[in-house]
Amino acid sequence: MPVVFRVTSGPHLGQEYVIDHPGTLLVGRSSRVQFSMTRDLLLSREHFQIDYAPPHCHLIDLGSTNGTKVNGLRVERVMLRDGDVISAGDSEFIVHFAEDSEERRAFSTCPGCGGRIPIELNSQIVDRDPFKLCDACEASRKKFPRTNPDYLIEEWIGGGGMGEVYRGRQLSRGRPIAIKMISPVSPLGDKAAACFRREIEVLRDLLMPSGESHPSIVNFYDIHEIGGQFHLVMEYVDGKNALEWLRALDQPLPISSAAQIGRHLLSALEYAHSKGYVHRDVKPSNLIIMGPVHRPRVKLTDFGLAKSFAETEGFTTTFTREGDVGGSIGFISPDHIRQFSEVREPADIYCAAVTLFFLMTGRYPYLGFDPGKADSYQIILQNPPVPLRAFRPDAPEGFERVLLKAMQKQPKERHKSALAMAEALRPFLASST
């Protein structure tokens, strides 16, 4: 079945390319790629590629400067379907799977994998169930916990204290999703269940009128209950948590990349603060990073410990008990230790600075600090942080000052807001950013 990519807007309007056999198609501004669009100056030289192994057709962004969107959603990798709209640079493309009329009468398309399903005829009524899957996808569905028919689970991607997480696809919209599942009476404990409910509440509140969240916060899509189990449906982000992403690098994190990561993170925190929430658990494992090292993009996740400035009802009033200290010890602020239930925006700013310090050095910002030792709280409360350049002599003195200010013991001595700290990092971005 040939696949046609037709340019529907931009300087190459009307140009098209047909893939009629398995292989890879490169699209970009370079004159050397197969689908060359030299007049679109907003395209990267090699912007995205198409991998075609009939009946499956995948788009993969190649770390492009301006990103690639499919049906309005920015993607790293996605399976394409008939009618999808690709946006890249100043151009748009429409995808068309060129079935002939006989194929259209005899087959429908599996919403799970894009393969063909023979159409069943019964008294001249054509069976076109929008959620009808091919045999392979139906067999795959049975391997995973039952969920809403509109969602097809494809892979288990993690689990722990907050339940199980799966990667899947929303069939009606053809978009990748992540589903987090936990029982309302969790065997993991009341606190884990409360964190899960809190995450649902916060992600829903962070949505804009458009139905989208901040671009650096994972999107909330849906919540439902099946068989006594809550299912939180979120945007699936095709990236790695910051620690895994960092381990894959063959070099220390560049200064400009650290500044970019910091600005994305702080922008997300500024937005959450403006909506009345403190995250309270900012750390590398709660950041998902996408893209190449010189152009990282960030999504802030896991709002299970987030707290509203004005909690007045429901489980939120008793969520934090006197004496509780939340977060991960290596990345908490003095505020967390003094009075976790009362932490405000400056605590997130402190944690963001420690996170950046750790990503740039692989160390905590205190000499002799071990989060497993009994004196860890005392060190955070009393010891001065180590200057960044003790471990990264290539770092500008100004960058070091930004982090030291953010890690002051008293909240009033830190940056006035997440936005202020983000602006303080601006001079250290690469000139091309």
Side-chain angles (χ1 to χ4, degrees):
M1 180 194 315
V3 183
V4 181
F5 296 88
R6 183 176 298 113
V7 182
T8 55
S9 70
H12 291 263
L13 176 65
Q15 188 172 331
E16 68 179 34
Y17 195 99
V18 179
I19 304 179
D20 56 6
H21 58 274
T24 297
L25 168 68
L26 288 176
V27 181
R29 182 166 48 86
S30 170
S31 60
R32 298 184 180 182
V33 302
Q34 296 101 314
F35 198 167
S36 177
M37 304 178 66
T38 56
R39 297 196 302 277
D40 188 341
L41 301 182
L42 295 182
L43 284 175
S44 295
R45 295 184 63 78
E46 294 183 358
H47 199 101
F48 64 85
Q49 76 179 43
I50 303 294
D51 286 350
Y52 185 43
H56 302 147
C57 188
H58 286 89
L59 178 147
I60 303 167
D61 182 80
L62 299 175
S64 60
T65 301
N66 297 311
T68 306
K69 293 182 178 181
V70 175
N71 302 327
L73 297 174
R74 187 162 180 165
V75 299
E76 300 287 323
R77 179 187 179 96
V78 69
M79 183 184 294
L80 296 174
R81 288 169 170 74
D82 188 56
D84 281 349
V85 175
I86 303 169
S87 303
D90 199 29
S91 302
E92 284 194 349
F93 312 70
I94 192 165
V95 181
H96 176 55
F97 288 78
E99 298 176 316
D100 60 30
S101 58
E102 183 176 340
E103 285 180 311
R104 285 195 297 270
R105 287 193 299 269
F107 296 95
S108 61
T109 300
C110 173
C113 67
R116 298 192 301 174
I117 308 173
I119 292 176
E120 300 174 10
L121 297 177
N122 184 12
S123 301
Q124 298 183 343
I125 298 176
V126 178
D127 178 8
R128 291 188 183 271
D129 180 355
F131 298 144
K132 183 175 178 60
L133 300 172
C134 68
D135 291 344
C137 287
E138 196 62 59
S140 177
R141 167 171 269 174
K142 293 176 181 177
K143 297 177 183 177
F144 299 102
R146 184 167 62 93
T147 188
N148 186 294
D150 192 18
Y151 304 117
L152 176 65
I153 296 176
E154 298 172 334
E155 182 185 16
W156 178 87
I157 56 176
M162 286 295 292
E164 302 296 315
V165 184
Y166 300 88
R167 177 181 61 82
R169 175 172 297 279
Q170 184 175 7
L171 301 177
S172 61
R173 301 189 63 171
R175 65 182 175 185
I177 50 101
I179 303 179
K180 183 182 287 189
M181 301 181 183
I182 192 172
S183 169
V185 182
S186 173
L188 303 168
D190 292 342
K191 190 165 185 177
C195 285
F196 185 76
R197 295 196 299 272
R198 169 59 58 87
E199 185 169 21
I200 293 169
E201 176 186 277
V202 176
L203 289 177
R204 184 158 39 197
D205 284 354
L206 290 178
L207 292 179
M208 302 177 187
S210 65
E212 298 287 315
S213 188
H214 184 278
S216 292
I217 295 177
V218 66
N219 257 324
F220 167 88
Y221 288 155
D222 195 11
I223 175 69
H224 52 268
E225 184 180 349
I226 293 180
Q229 188 176 53
F230 286 124
H231 293 198
L232 170 59
V233 184
M234 302 172 290
E235 170 188 16
Y236 173 72
V237 183
D238 191 7
K240 299 177 180 178
N241 80 49
L243 293 177
E244 295 173 344
W245 183 82
L246 198 64
R247 291 189 197 108
L249 300 183
D250 57 3
Q251 59 180 319
L253 183 65
I255 301 302
S256 60
S257 300
Q260 182 79 329
I261 290 170
R263 283 175 56 82
H264 281 301
L265 168 58
L266 290 159
S267 178
L269 291 173
E270 178 70 19
Y271 176 74
H273 296 166
S274 74
K275 301 286 281 187
Y277 287 100
V278 183
H279 188 281
R280 301 201 300 182
D281 197 19
V282 176
K283 57 185 178 182
S285 60
N286 282 341
L287 297 184
I288 299 178
I289 302 184
M290 304 154 284
V293 64
H294 60 287
R295 257 191 321 271
R297 292 182 290 113
V298 172
K299 289 277 188 178
L300 177 61
T301 68
D302 201 340
F303 282 77
L305 290 182
K307 179 180 173 66
S308 169
F309 298 164
E311 295 179 338
T312 57
E313 60 181 352
F315 71 89
T316 55
T317 59
T318 58
F319 180 72
T320 304
R321 295 182 292 273
E322 188 69 27
D324 275 356
V325 176
S328 295
I329 294 176
F331 300 95
I332 60 175
S333 72
D335 321 11
H336 284 68
I337 301 169
R338 296 188 194 109
Q339 187 71 52
F340 178 55
S341 63
E342 299 300 324
V343 299
R344 296 290 296 262
E345 303 99 308
D348 281 348
I349 291 171
Y350 180 102
C351 298
V354 177
T355 294
L356 287 178
F357 188 101
F358 192 90
L359 293 179
M360 297 175 73
T361 66
R363 301 168 182 258
Y364 298 105
Y366 296 105
L367 287 177
F369 181 84
D370 181 342
K373 290 187 176 179
D375 64 351
S376 57
Y377 284 2
Q378 208 62 26
I379 289 176
I380 293 171
L381 287 170
Q382 297 182 357
N383 290 16
V386 177
L388 174 66
R389 292 189 298 162
F391 302 123
R392 286 294 300 267
D394 59 319
E397 184 178 356
F399 199 117
E400 180 179 88
R401 285 198 302 268
V402 172
L403 296 192
L404 287 174
K405 182 176 179 64
M407 290 188 287
Q408 292 297 303
K409 303 299 182 187
Q410 297 302 322
K412 64 182 180 181
E413 296 177 358
R414 300 173 199 152
H415 299 278
K416 291 183 179 180
S417 65
L419 178 61
M421 183 176 171
E423 286 304 302
L425 290 175
R426 182 186 291 276
F428 309 107
L429 297 172
S431 58
S432 59
T433 301

